[in-house]
Amino acid sequence: MTTYLHDGTEFDLDGGFVDVIGVEWTWTGSYTDTGEPLLTGSGHPAPVPLPDVYHDHGPLIPLPKRPTNRLAQAAVSADYTASIRDGHTESYEEYALRTAAAGQ
C-alpha cells in the first residue's frame, strides 16, 4: 500500500478515489517535484497533484477495493442445488407458480 498524508488525512494511492460529482481519480505512479502524487481523472488532459484535486474537487472518497479472485470464485461457484434444498432460493417452478398468481 502506497500512502500519502495530506491535511491530516492518509490517502491509499493504490486504491483510487471518486470526487463529489463522480469523477474517478487514479494515481499515475508519479510525483511532482515537491513530492505530491499526480492523479488522472476523466476530463482532465494532464495529471493533477492530489492536493489540487482535493481542494478543487474534494472531498475524495476511496473507491471500494476489488474482491480477491478467491472471493469472486466462491461467489460464482455457489452450489445452486444445495441452496434450493436449504431454502435460500426458490426453484424456477416455485418462481413460476408464485408469479403466475400475481398476474391474475
Coordinates of all heavy atoms in Angstrom, one line a residue:
M1 N 0.9 -1.2 0.0 CA 0.0 0.0 0.0 C 0.9 1.2 0.0 O 1.8 1.4 0.8 CB -0.9 0.0 1.2 CG -1.8 1.2 1.4 SD -3.1 1.0 2.5 CE -2.3 1.3 4.1
T2 N 0.6 2.1 -0.9 CA 1.4 3.4 -1.0 C 0.5 4.5 -0.5 O -0.6 4.7 -1.0 CB 1.7 3.7 -2.5 OG1 2.4 2.6 -3.0 CG2 2.6 4.9 -2.6
T3 N 0.9 5.2 0.5 CA 0.1 6.2 1.2 C 0.7 7.6 1.0 O 1.9 7.7 0.8 CB -0.1 5.9 2.7 OG1 1.1 5.9 3.3 CG2 -0.8 4.6 2.9
Y4 N -0.2 8.6 1.1 CA 0.2 10.0 1.1 C -0.6 10.7 2.2 O -1.8 10.6 2.2 CB 0.0 10.6 -0.3 CG 0.3 12.0 -0.4 CD1 1.7 12.4 -0.4 CD2 -0.7 13.0 -0.4 CE1 2.0 13.8 -0.5 CE2 -0.4 14.3 -0.5 CZ 1.0 14.7 -0.5 OH 1.3 16.1 -0.6
L5 N 0.1 11.5 3.0 CA -0.6 12.2 4.1 C -0.8 13.7 3.6 O 0.1 14.4 3.2 CB 0.2 12.2 5.3 CG -0.4 12.8 6.6 CD1 -1.7 12.0 7.0 CD2 0.6 12.8 7.7
H6 N -2.1 14.1 3.6 CA -2.4 15.5 3.2 C -3.4 16.0 4.2 O -4.5 15.4 4.4 CB -2.9 15.5 1.8 CG -3.4 16.9 1.4 ND1 -2.5 17.9 1.2 CD2 -4.6 17.4 1.1 CE1 -3.1 19.0 0.8 NE2 -4.4 18.7 0.8
D7 N -3.2 17.2 4.8 CA -4.1 17.8 5.7 C -4.6 16.8 6.8 O -5.7 16.9 7.2 CB -5.3 18.4 5.0 CG -5.0 19.7 4.4 OD1 -3.9 20.3 4.7 OD2 -5.8 20.2 3.6
G8 N -3.7 16.0 7.3 CA -4.0 15.0 8.4 C -4.8 13.8 7.9 O -5.2 13.0 8.7
T9 N -5.0 13.7 6.6 CA -5.8 12.5 6.0 C -4.8 11.7 5.3 O -4.0 12.2 4.4 CB -6.9 13.0 5.1 OG1 -7.8 13.8 5.9 CG2 -7.7 11.8 4.6
E10 N -4.8 10.4 5.5 CA -3.9 9.5 4.8 C -4.7 8.9 3.6 O -5.8 8.4 3.8 CB -3.5 8.3 5.7 CG -2.5 7.4 5.1 CD -2.0 6.4 6.1 OE1 -2.7 5.4 6.4 OE2 -0.8 6.5 6.6
F11 N -4.1 9.0 2.5 CA -4.7 8.5 1.2 C -4.0 7.3 0.8 O -2.7 7.3 0.7 CB -4.6 9.6 0.1 CG -5.5 10.8 0.4 CD1 -5.0 11.9 1.1 CD2 -6.8 10.8 -0.1 CE1 -5.8 13.0 1.3 CE2 -7.6 11.9 0.2 CZ -7.1 13.0 0.9
D12 N -4.7 6.2 0.5 CA -4.1 5.0 -0.1 C -4.1 5.2 -1.6 O -5.1 5.1 -2.3 CB -5.0 3.8 0.3 CG -4.5 2.5 -0.4 OD1 -3.4 2.5 -1.1 OD2 -5.2 1.5 -0.2
L13 N -3.0 5.5 -2.2 CA -2.8 5.8 -3.6 C -3.1 4.6 -4.5 O -3.4 4.8 -5.7 CB -1.4 6.4 -3.9 CG -1.1 7.7 -3.1 CD1 0.4 8.1 -3.4 CD2 -2.0 8.8 -3.4
D14 N -3.0 3.4 -4.0 CA -3.2 2.3 -4.8 C -4.6 2.0 -5.1 O -5.0 1.2 -6.0 CB -2.6 1.0 -4.1 CG -1.1 1.2 -4.0 OD1 -0.4 1.8 -4.8 OD2 -0.5 0.7 -2.9
G15 N -5.5 2.6 -4.3 CA -7.0 2.3 -4.5 C -7.8 3.1 -5.4 O -8.7 2.7 -6.0
G16 N -7.4 4.4 -5.6 CA -8.2 5.3 -6.4 C -9.3 6.0 -5.6 O -9.6 5.5 -4.5
F17 N -9.9 7.0 -6.2 CA -10.8 7.8 -5.5 C -11.9 8.3 -6.4 O -11.8 8.3 -7.6 CB -10.2 9.1 -4.9 CG -8.9 8.8 -4.2 CD1 -7.7 8.9 -4.8 CD2 -8.9 8.4 -2.8 CE1 -6.5 8.6 -4.1 CE2 -7.7 8.1 -2.2 CZ -6.5 8.2 -2.8
V18 N -13.0 8.7 -5.8 CA -14.1 9.4 -6.6 C -14.4 10.7 -5.9 O -14.4 10.8 -4.7 CB -15.3 8.5 -6.7 CG1 -15.9 8.2 -5.3 CG2 -16.4 9.0 -7.7
D19 N -14.6 11.8 -6.7 CA -14.9 13.1 -6.2 C -16.4 13.2 -6.0 O -17.1 12.3 -6.2 CB -14.2 14.2 -7.0 CG -14.8 14.4 -8.4 OD1 -15.9 13.9 -8.6 OD2 -14.1 14.9 -9.2
V20 N -16.8 14.4 -5.5 CA -18.2 14.6 -5.2 C -19.1 14.6 -6.4 O -20.3 14.4 -6.2 CB -18.4 15.9 -4.3 CG1 -17.7 15.8 -3.0 CG2 -17.9 17.1 -5.1
I21 N -18.6 14.7 -7.6 CA -19.5 14.7 -8.7 C -19.4 13.3 -9.5 O -20.0 13.2 -10.5 CB -19.3 15.9 -9.7 CG1 -17.9 15.9 -10.3 CG2 -19.7 17.2 -9.0 CD1 -17.7 16.9 -11.4
G22 N -18.6 12.4 -8.9 CA -18.5 11.1 -9.5 C -17.3 10.8 -10.4 O -17.2 9.7 -11.0
V23 N -16.4 11.8 -10.6 CA -15.2 11.5 -11.4 C -14.2 10.7 -10.6 O -13.9 10.9 -9.4 CB -14.5 12.9 -11.8 CG1 -13.2 12.6 -12.5 CG2 -15.5 13.7 -12.6
E24 N -13.8 9.6 -11.3 CA -12.8 8.7 -10.6 C -11.4 9.2 -10.9 O -11.1 9.6 -12.0 CB -12.9 7.3 -11.2 CG -14.2 6.6 -10.7 CD -14.3 5.1 -11.1 OE1 -13.2 4.5 -11.4 OE2 -15.4 4.6 -11.0
W25 N -10.6 9.2 -9.9 CA -9.2 9.7 -9.9 C -8.3 8.5 -9.5 O -8.5 7.8 -8.6 CB -9.0 10.8 -8.9 CG -9.8 12.1 -9.3 CD1 -11.0 12.4 -8.9 CD2 -9.3 13.1 -10.1 NE1 -11.4 13.6 -9.5 CE2 -10.3 14.1 -10.2 CE3 -8.1 13.4 -10.8 CZ2 -10.2 15.2 -11.0 CZ3 -8.0 14.6 -11.5 CH2 -9.0 15.5 -11.6
T26 N -7.3 8.3 -10.3 CA -6.3 7.3 -10.0 C -4.9 7.9 -10.1 O -4.6 8.8 -10.8 CB -6.4 6.1 -11.1 OG1 -6.2 6.6 -12.4 CG2 -7.7 5.4 -10.9
W27 N -4.1 7.3 -9.2 CA -2.7 7.7 -9.1 C -1.9 7.2 -10.4 O -2.0 6.1 -10.8 CB -2.1 7.2 -7.9 CG -0.6 7.5 -7.6 CD1 -0.1 8.7 -7.8 CD2 0.4 6.7 -7.1 NE1 1.3 8.7 -7.4 CE2 1.6 7.4 -7.0 CE3 0.4 5.3 -6.8 CZ2 2.8 6.9 -6.5 CZ3 1.6 4.8 -6.3 CH2 2.8 5.6 -6.2
T28 N -1.1 8.1 -10.9 CA -0.3 7.8 -12.1 C 1.0 7.0 -11.8 O 1.6 6.4 -12.6 CB 0.2 9.1 -12.8 OG1 1.0 9.8 -12.0 CG2 -1.0 9.9 -13.3
G29 N 1.3 7.0 -10.5 CA 2.6 6.4 -10.1 C 3.7 7.4 -10.0 O 4.8 7.0 -9.7
S30 N 3.4 8.6 -10.4 CA 4.4 9.7 -10.4 C 4.1 10.7 -9.4 O 3.0 10.8 -8.9 CB 4.5 10.3 -11.8 OG 4.8 9.4 -12.8
Y31 N 5.1 11.5 -9.1 CA 5.0 12.6 -8.1 C 5.5 13.9 -8.8 O 6.3 13.9 -9.7 CB 5.9 12.4 -6.9 CG 5.5 11.2 -6.1 CD1 6.0 9.9 -6.4 CD2 4.6 11.3 -5.0 CE1 5.7 8.8 -5.6 CE2 4.3 10.2 -4.3 CZ 4.8 9.0 -4.6 OH 4.4 7.9 -3.8
T32 N 5.0 15.1 -8.2 CA 5.5 16.4 -8.6 C 7.0 16.5 -8.1 O 7.4 15.7 -7.3 CB 4.7 17.5 -8.1 OG1 4.8 17.5 -6.7 CG2 3.2 17.4 -8.5
D33 N 7.6 17.6 -8.5 CA 9.0 17.8 -8.0 C 9.0 18.1 -6.4 O 10.0 17.9 -5.8 CB 9.6 19.1 -8.6 CG 9.9 18.8 -10.1 OD1 10.0 17.6 -10.5 OD2 10.0 19.8 -10.9
T34 N 7.8 18.5 -5.9 CA 7.7 18.7 -4.4 C 7.2 17.5 -3.7 O 6.9 17.5 -2.5 CB 6.8 19.9 -4.2 OG1 5.5 19.7 -4.7 CG2 7.4 21.2 -4.7
G35 N 7.0 16.3 -4.4 CA 6.6 15.1 -3.8 C 5.1 14.9 -3.6 O 4.7 14.0 -2.9
E36 N 4.3 15.6 -4.4 CA 2.9 15.4 -4.3 C 2.5 14.4 -5.4 O 3.0 14.5 -6.5 CB 2.1 16.7 -4.6 CG 2.4 17.8 -3.6 CD 1.9 19.2 -4.0 OE1 1.8 19.4 -5.2 OE2 1.6 20.0 -3.1
P37 N 1.7 13.4 -5.1 CA 1.3 12.4 -6.0 C 0.4 13.0 -7.2 O -0.4 13.9 -6.9 CB 0.4 11.4 -5.3 CG 0.3 11.9 -3.9 CD 1.1 13.2 -3.8
L38 N 0.6 12.6 -8.4 CA -0.1 13.1 -9.5 C -1.3 12.1 -9.8 O -1.1 10.9 -9.9 CB 0.8 13.2 -10.8 CG 1.8 14.3 -10.7 CD1 2.8 14.1 -11.8 CD2 1.1 15.6 -10.8
L39 N -2.5 12.6 -10.0 CA -3.7 11.9 -10.2 C -4.2 12.2 -11.6 O -4.1 13.3 -12.1 CB -4.8 12.1 -9.2 CG -4.4 12.0 -7.7 CD1 -5.6 12.3 -6.9 CD2 -4.0 10.6 -7.4
T40 N -4.9 11.2 -12.3 CA -5.6 11.5 -13.5 C -7.0 11.2 -13.3 O -7.4 10.3 -12.5 CB -5.1 10.5 -14.6 OG1 -5.2 9.2 -14.3 CG2 -3.6 10.8 -15.0
G41 N -7.8 12.0 -13.9 CA -9.3 11.9 -13.9 C -9.9 12.2 -15.2 O -9.3 12.9 -16.0
S42 N -11.1 11.6 -15.5 CA -11.7 11.8 -16.8 C -12.0 13.3 -17.0 O -12.4 14.0 -16.1 CB -12.9 11.0 -16.9 OG -13.9 11.3 -15.9
G43 N -11.7 13.8 -18.2 CA -12.0 15.2 -18.5 C -10.8 16.1 -18.2 O -10.8 17.2 -18.5
H44 N -9.7 15.5 -17.6 CA -8.5 16.3 -17.4 C -7.4 15.8 -18.2 O -6.9 14.7 -18.0 CB -8.2 16.2 -15.9 CG -9.2 16.9 -15.0 ND1 -9.1 18.2 -14.7 CD2 -10.3 16.4 -14.4 CE1 -10.2 18.5 -13.9 NE2 -10.9 17.5 -13.8
P45 N -6.9 16.6 -19.2 CA -5.9 16.1 -20.1 C -4.5 15.8 -19.5 O -3.8 15.0 -20.0 CB -5.8 17.3 -21.1 CG -6.3 18.5 -20.4 CD -7.3 18.0 -19.4
A46 N -4.2 16.5 -18.4 CA -2.9 16.3 -17.8 C -3.1 15.9 -16.3 O -4.1 16.2 -15.7 CB -2.1 17.6 -17.8
P47 N -2.1 15.2 -15.8 CA -2.2 14.8 -14.4 C -2.2 16.0 -13.4 O -1.7 17.1 -13.7 CB -0.9 14.0 -14.1 CG -0.4 13.6 -15.5 CD -0.9 14.6 -16.4
V48 N -2.9 15.8 -12.3 CA -3.1 16.9 -11.4 C -2.6 16.5 -10.0 O -2.9 15.4 -9.6 CB -4.6 17.3 -11.3 CG1 -4.9 18.5 -10.3 CG2 -5.2 17.6 -12.6
P49 N -1.9 17.3 -9.3 CA -1.4 17.0 -7.9 C -2.6 16.7 -7.0 O -3.6 17.4 -7.0 CB -0.6 18.2 -7.5 CG -0.3 18.9 -8.7 CD -1.4 18.7 -9.7
L50 N -2.4 15.7 -6.1 CA -3.5 15.3 -5.2 C -4.0 16.5 -4.4 O -5.2 16.6 -4.3 CB -3.1 14.2 -4.3 CG -4.1 13.6 -3.4 CD1 -4.0 12.1 -3.2 CD2 -4.1 14.3 -2.0
P51 N -3.2 17.4 -3.8 CA -3.7 18.5 -3.1 C -4.6 19.4 -3.9 O -5.6 19.9 -3.4 CB -2.5 19.2 -2.6 CG -1.4 18.2 -2.5 CD -1.7 17.3 -3.7
D52 N -4.3 19.6 -5.2 CA -5.2 20.4 -6.0 C -6.5 19.7 -6.3 O -7.6 20.3 -6.3 CB -4.5 20.7 -7.4 CG -3.3 21.6 -7.2 OD1 -3.0 22.1 -6.1 OD2 -2.5 21.7 -8.2
V53 N -6.5 18.4 -6.5 CA -7.7 17.6 -6.7 C -8.6 17.7 -5.5 O -9.8 17.9 -5.5 CB -7.4 16.2 -7.1 CG1 -8.7 15.3 -7.2 CG2 -6.7 16.1 -8.4
Y54 N -7.9 17.5 -4.3 CA -8.6 17.5 -3.0 C -9.3 18.9 -2.8 O -10.4 19.0 -2.4 CB -7.6 17.2 -1.9 CG -8.2 17.1 -0.5 CD1 -8.9 16.0 -0.1 CD2 -8.0 18.2 0.4 CE1 -9.4 15.9 1.2 CE2 -8.6 18.1 1.6 CZ -9.2 17.0 2.0 OH -9.7 16.9 3.3
H55 N -8.5 20.0 -3.1 CA -9.1 21.3 -2.9 C -10.2 21.7 -3.9 O -11.2 22.3 -3.5 CB -7.9 22.4 -3.1 CG -8.4 23.8 -2.9 ND1 -8.7 24.6 -3.9 CD2 -8.5 24.5 -1.8 CE1 -9.1 25.7 -3.5 NE2 -9.0 25.8 -2.2
D56 N -10.0 21.3 -5.2 CA -10.9 21.8 -6.2 C -12.1 20.8 -6.4 O -13.1 21.2 -6.9 CB -10.2 21.9 -7.6 CG -9.1 23.0 -7.5 OD1 -9.2 23.9 -6.6 OD2 -8.2 23.0 -8.4
H57 N -11.9 19.5 -6.1 CA -12.9 18.5 -6.4 C -13.3 17.7 -5.2 O -14.2 16.8 -5.3 CB -12.4 17.6 -7.5 CG -12.0 18.3 -8.7 ND1 -12.9 18.8 -9.7 CD2 -10.7 18.6 -9.1 CE1 -12.2 19.3 -10.6 NE2 -10.9 19.3 -10.4
G58 N -12.7 17.9 -4.0 CA -12.9 17.1 -2.9 C -14.2 17.3 -2.2 O -15.0 18.2 -2.5
P59 N -14.5 16.5 -1.2 CA -13.6 15.5 -0.6 C -13.4 14.3 -1.6 O -14.3 14.1 -2.4 CB -14.2 15.1 0.7 CG -15.7 15.3 0.5 CD -15.8 16.5 -0.4
L60 N -12.3 13.6 -1.4 CA -12.1 12.4 -2.2 C -12.5 11.2 -1.4 O -12.1 11.0 -0.3 CB -10.6 12.3 -2.6 CG -10.1 13.5 -3.5 CD1 -8.6 13.4 -3.7 CD2 -10.8 13.6 -4.8
I61 N -13.3 10.4 -2.0 CA -13.9 9.2 -1.4 C -13.1 8.0 -1.9 O -13.1 7.8 -3.2 CB -15.4 9.1 -1.7 CG1 -16.1 10.4 -1.2 CG2 -16.0 7.9 -1.0 CD1 -17.3 10.7 -2.0
P62 N -12.6 7.2 -1.1 CA -11.9 6.0 -1.6 C -12.8 5.1 -2.3 O -13.9 4.8 -1.9 CB -11.3 5.3 -0.3 CG -11.4 6.3 0.8 CD -12.5 7.3 0.4
L63 N -12.3 4.5 -3.5 CA -13.1 3.6 -4.2 C -13.1 2.2 -3.4 O -12.1 1.9 -2.8 CB -12.5 3.4 -5.6 CG -12.7 4.5 -6.6 CD1 -11.9 4.3 -7.8 CD2 -14.2 4.6 -6.9
P64 N -14.2 1.5 -3.5 CA -14.2 0.2 -2.9 C -13.1 -0.7 -3.4 O -12.8 -0.6 -4.6 CB -15.6 -0.4 -3.2 CG -16.3 0.7 -3.8 CD -15.4 1.8 -4.2
K65 N -12.5 -1.5 -2.6 CA -11.5 -2.4 -3.1 C -12.1 -3.5 -3.8 O -13.2 -4.0 -3.5 CB -10.7 -3.0 -1.9 CG -10.0 -1.9 -1.1 CD -8.7 -2.3 -0.6 CE -8.0 -1.3 0.3 NZ -7.4 -0.2 -0.4
R66 N -11.5 -4.0 -4.9 CA -12.0 -5.1 -5.7 C -11.9 -6.4 -4.9 O -10.9 -6.6 -4.1 CB -11.2 -5.2 -7.0 CG -11.3 -4.0 -7.8 CD -10.7 -4.3 -9.2 NE -10.6 -3.1 -10.0 CZ -11.5 -2.5 -10.6 NH1 -12.7 -3.0 -10.6 NH2 -11.3 -1.4 -11.3
P67 N -12.9 -7.3 -5.0 CA -12.8 -8.5 -4.3 C -11.6 -9.4 -4.8 O -11.2 -9.3 -6.0 CB -14.1 -9.2 -4.6 CG -14.6 -8.6 -5.8 CD -14.1 -7.2 -5.8
T68 N -11.1 -10.2 -3.9 CA -10.0 -11.1 -4.3 C -10.5 -12.1 -5.3 O -11.7 -12.4 -5.3 CB -9.4 -11.8 -3.1 OG1 -10.4 -12.6 -2.5 CG2 -8.9 -10.8 -2.0
N69 N -9.6 -12.7 -6.1 CA -10.0 -13.7 -7.0 C -10.7 -14.9 -6.3 O -11.7 -15.5 -6.8 CB -8.8 -14.3 -7.8 CG -8.4 -13.3 -8.8 OD1 -9.1 -12.4 -9.2 ND2 -7.1 -13.4 -9.3
R70 N -10.2 -15.2 -5.1 CA -10.7 -16.3 -4.3 C -12.2 -16.0 -3.9 O -13.1 -16.9 -4.0 CB -9.9 -16.5 -3.1 CG -10.2 -17.7 -2.3 CD -9.3 -17.9 -1.1 NE -9.4 -19.2 -0.6 CZ -8.6 -19.7 0.3 NH1 -7.6 -18.9 0.8 NH2 -8.7 -20.9 0.8
L71 N -12.4 -14.8 -3.5 CA -13.8 -14.4 -3.1 C -14.7 -14.4 -4.2 O -15.9 -14.9 -4.2 CB -13.8 -13.1 -2.4 CG -15.1 -12.5 -1.9 CD1 -15.8 -13.4 -0.9 CD2 -15.0 -11.1 -1.3
A72 N -14.3 -13.9 -5.4 CA -15.1 -13.8 -6.6 C -15.4 -15.2 -7.0 O -16.6 -15.5 -7.4 CB -14.4 -13.0 -7.7
Q73 N -14.5 -16.1 -7.0 CA -14.7 -17.5 -7.4 C -15.7 -18.2 -6.5 O -16.6 -18.9 -7.0 CB -13.4 -18.3 -7.4 CG -13.5 -19.7 -7.9 CD -13.9 -19.8 -9.4 OE1 -13.5 -18.9 -10.2 NE2 -14.6 -20.8 -9.8
A74 N -15.6 -17.9 -5.2 CA -16.5 -18.5 -4.3 C -17.9 -18.0 -4.5 O -18.9 -18.8 -4.4 CB -16.1 -18.2 -2.8
A75 N -18.1 -16.8 -4.9 CA -19.4 -16.2 -5.1 C -20.1 -16.7 -6.3 O -21.3 -17.0 -6.3 CB -19.3 -14.7 -5.2
V76 N -19.4 -17.0 -7.3 CA -20.0 -17.5 -8.6 C -20.0 -19.0 -8.6 O -20.6 -19.6 -9.5 CB -19.3 -17.0 -9.8 CG1 -19.4 -15.5 -9.9 CG2 -17.8 -17.4 -9.9
S77 N -19.4 -19.7 -7.7 CA -19.3 -21.1 -7.7 C -20.2 -21.8 -6.6 O -20.1 -22.9 -6.3 CB -17.9 -21.6 -7.5 OG -17.1 -21.1 -8.5
A78 N -21.2 -21.0 -6.1 CA -22.0 -21.5 -5.1 C -22.8 -22.7 -5.6 O -23.2 -22.7 -6.8 CB -23.0 -20.4 -4.6
D79 N -23.1 -23.6 -4.7 CA -23.9 -24.8 -5.1 C -25.4 -24.5 -5.1 O -26.0 -24.4 -4.1 CB -23.6 -25.9 -4.1 CG -24.2 -27.3 -4.5 OD1 -25.1 -27.2 -5.4 OD2 -23.8 -28.3 -3.9
Y80 N -25.9 -24.2 -6.3 CA -27.2 -23.8 -6.5 C -28.2 -24.8 -6.0 O -29.2 -24.5 -5.3 CB -27.5 -23.5 -8.0 CG -28.9 -23.0 -8.3 CD1 -29.3 -21.7 -7.8 CD2 -29.8 -23.8 -8.9 CE1 -30.6 -21.2 -8.1 CE2 -31.1 -23.3 -9.2 CZ -31.5 -22.0 -8.7 OH -32.7 -21.6 -9.0
T81 N -28.0 -26.1 -6.3 CA -28.9 -27.1 -5.9 C -29.0 -27.2 -4.3 O -30.1 -27.3 -3.7 CB -28.5 -28.5 -6.4 OG1 -28.4 -28.4 -7.8 CG2 -29.5 -29.6 -6.1
A82 N -27.8 -27.1 -3.7 CA -27.8 -27.1 -2.2 C -28.5 -25.9 -1.6 O -29.2 -26.0 -0.6 CB -26.4 -27.2 -1.7
S83 N -28.4 -24.7 -2.3 CA -29.1 -23.5 -1.8 C -30.6 -23.6 -1.9 O -31.3 -23.2 -1.0 CB -28.6 -22.2 -2.5 OG -28.9 -22.2 -3.8
I84 N -31.1 -24.3 -3.0 CA -32.5 -24.5 -3.1 C -33.0 -25.5 -2.0 O -34.0 -25.3 -1.3 CB -32.9 -25.1 -4.5 CG1 -32.7 -24.0 -5.5 CG2 -34.3 -25.6 -4.5 CD1 -32.8 -24.5 -6.9
R85 N -32.2 -26.5 -1.8 CA -32.5 -27.5 -0.8 C -32.6 -26.9 0.6 O -33.4 -27.2 1.4 CB -31.5 -28.7 -0.8 CG -31.8 -29.8 0.1 CD -30.8 -31.0 0.0 NE -29.4 -30.5 0.2 CZ -28.5 -30.5 -0.7 NH1 -28.7 -30.9 -2.0 NH2 -27.3 -30.1 -0.4
D86 N -31.7 -26.0 0.9 CA -31.6 -25.3 2.2 C -32.7 -24.2 2.3 O -32.8 -23.6 3.4 CB -30.2 -24.8 2.4 CG -29.2 -25.9 2.6 OD1 -29.6 -27.0 2.9 OD2 -28.0 -25.5 2.4
G87 N -33.4 -23.9 1.3 CA -34.4 -22.9 1.3 C -33.9 -21.4 1.1 O -34.7 -20.5 1.3
H88 N -32.7 -21.3 0.6 CA -32.2 -19.9 0.4 C -32.6 -19.3 -0.9 O -32.6 -18.1 -1.0 CB -30.6 -19.9 0.5 CG -30.1 -20.3 1.8 ND1 -30.3 -19.6 2.9 CD2 -29.4 -21.4 2.2 CE1 -29.7 -20.2 4.0 NE2 -29.2 -21.3 3.5
T89 N -33.0 -20.1 -1.8 CA -33.5 -19.6 -3.1 C -34.7 -20.5 -3.5 O -34.9 -21.6 -3.0 CB -32.4 -19.7 -4.2 OG1 -32.0 -21.0 -4.3 CG2 -31.3 -18.8 -4.0
E90 N -35.5 -20.0 -4.5 CA -36.6 -20.9 -5.0 C -36.2 -21.4 -6.3 O -35.5 -20.8 -7.1 CB -37.9 -20.1 -5.0 CG -37.8 -18.9 -5.9 CD -39.1 -18.0 -5.7 OE1 -40.1 -18.4 -5.1 OE2 -39.1 -16.9 -6.3
S91 N -36.8 -22.6 -6.7 CA -36.6 -23.2 -8.0 C -37.4 -22.4 -9.0 O -38.2 -21.5 -8.7 CB -37.1 -24.6 -8.0 OG -38.5 -24.6 -7.8
Y92 N -37.1 -22.6 -10.3 CA -37.8 -21.9 -11.3 C -39.3 -22.3 -11.2 O -40.1 -21.4 -11.4 CB -37.2 -22.3 -12.7 CG -38.1 -21.7 -13.8 CD1 -37.9 -20.4 -14.1 CD2 -39.0 -22.5 -14.5 CE1 -38.7 -19.8 -15.1 CE2 -39.8 -21.9 -15.5 CZ -39.6 -20.6 -15.8 OH -40.4 -20.0 -16.8
E93 N -39.6 -23.5 -11.0 CA -41.0 -23.9 -10.9 C -41.7 -23.2 -9.8 O -42.8 -22.7 -9.9 CB -41.1 -25.4 -10.6 CG -40.6 -26.3 -11.8 CD -39.1 -26.4 -12.0 OE1 -38.4 -26.1 -11.0 OE2 -38.7 -26.8 -13.1
E94 N -41.1 -23.0 -8.6 CA -41.7 -22.3 -7.5 C -41.9 -20.8 -7.9 O -42.9 -20.2 -7.6 CB -40.8 -22.4 -6.2 CG -40.8 -23.8 -5.6 CD -39.7 -23.9 -4.6 OE1 -38.6 -23.3 -4.7 OE2 -39.9 -24.7 -3.7
Y95 N -40.9 -20.2 -8.6 CA -41.0 -18.8 -9.0 C -42.1 -18.7 -10.0 O -42.9 -17.7 -9.9 CB -39.7 -18.4 -9.7 CG -39.7 -17.1 -10.4 CD1 -39.7 -15.9 -9.7 CD2 -39.9 -17.1 -11.8 CE1 -39.8 -14.7 -10.4 CE2 -40.0 -15.9 -12.5 CZ -39.9 -14.7 -11.8 OH -40.0 -13.5 -12.5
A96 N -42.3 -19.6 -10.9 CA -43.3 -19.5 -11.9 C -44.7 -19.6 -11.3 O -45.6 -18.8 -11.6 CB -43.2 -20.6 -13.0
L97 N -44.9 -20.5 -10.3 CA -46.2 -20.6 -9.6 C -46.5 -19.3 -8.8 O -47.6 -18.8 -8.8 CB -46.1 -21.8 -8.7 CG -46.2 -23.1 -9.4 CD1 -46.0 -24.3 -8.3 CD2 -47.6 -23.3 -10.0
R98 N -45.5 -18.8 -8.1 CA -45.7 -17.6 -7.3 C -46.0 -16.4 -8.2 O -46.9 -15.6 -7.9 CB -44.4 -17.3 -6.5 CG -44.5 -16.1 -5.6 CD -43.3 -15.9 -4.7 NE -42.0 -15.9 -5.4 CZ -41.5 -14.8 -5.9 NH1 -42.2 -13.6 -5.9 NH2 -40.4 -14.8 -6.5
T99 N -45.3 -16.2 -9.3 CA -45.6 -15.0 -10.1 C -46.8 -15.1 -11.0 O -47.4 -14.1 -11.4 CB -44.3 -14.7 -11.0 OG1 -44.0 -15.8 -11.7 CG2 -43.1 -14.3 -10.1
A100 N -47.2 -16.4 -11.4 CA -48.4 -16.6 -12.2 C -49.6 -16.1 -11.4 O -50.5 -15.5 -12.0 CB -48.5 -18.0 -12.6
A101 N -49.6 -16.4 -10.1 CA -50.8 -16.0 -9.3 C -50.8 -14.4 -9.2 O -52.0 -13.9 -9.1 CB -50.6 -16.6 -7.9
A102 N -49.7 -13.7 -9.3 CA -49.7 -12.3 -9.2 C -50.4 -11.6 -10.4 O -50.9 -10.5 -10.3 CB -48.3 -11.8 -8.9
G103 N -50.3 -12.3 -11.5 CA -50.8 -11.7 -12.8 C -52.3 -11.9 -12.9 O -52.9 -11.4 -13.9
Q104 N -53.0 -12.6 -12.0 CA -54.4 -12.8 -12.2 C -55.3 -11.8 -11.5 O -55.0 -11.2 -10.6 CB -54.7 -14.2 -11.7 CG -54.0 -15.3 -12.5 CD -54.3 -16.7 -12.0 OE1 -55.0 -16.9 -11.0 NE2 -53.7 -17.7 -12.6

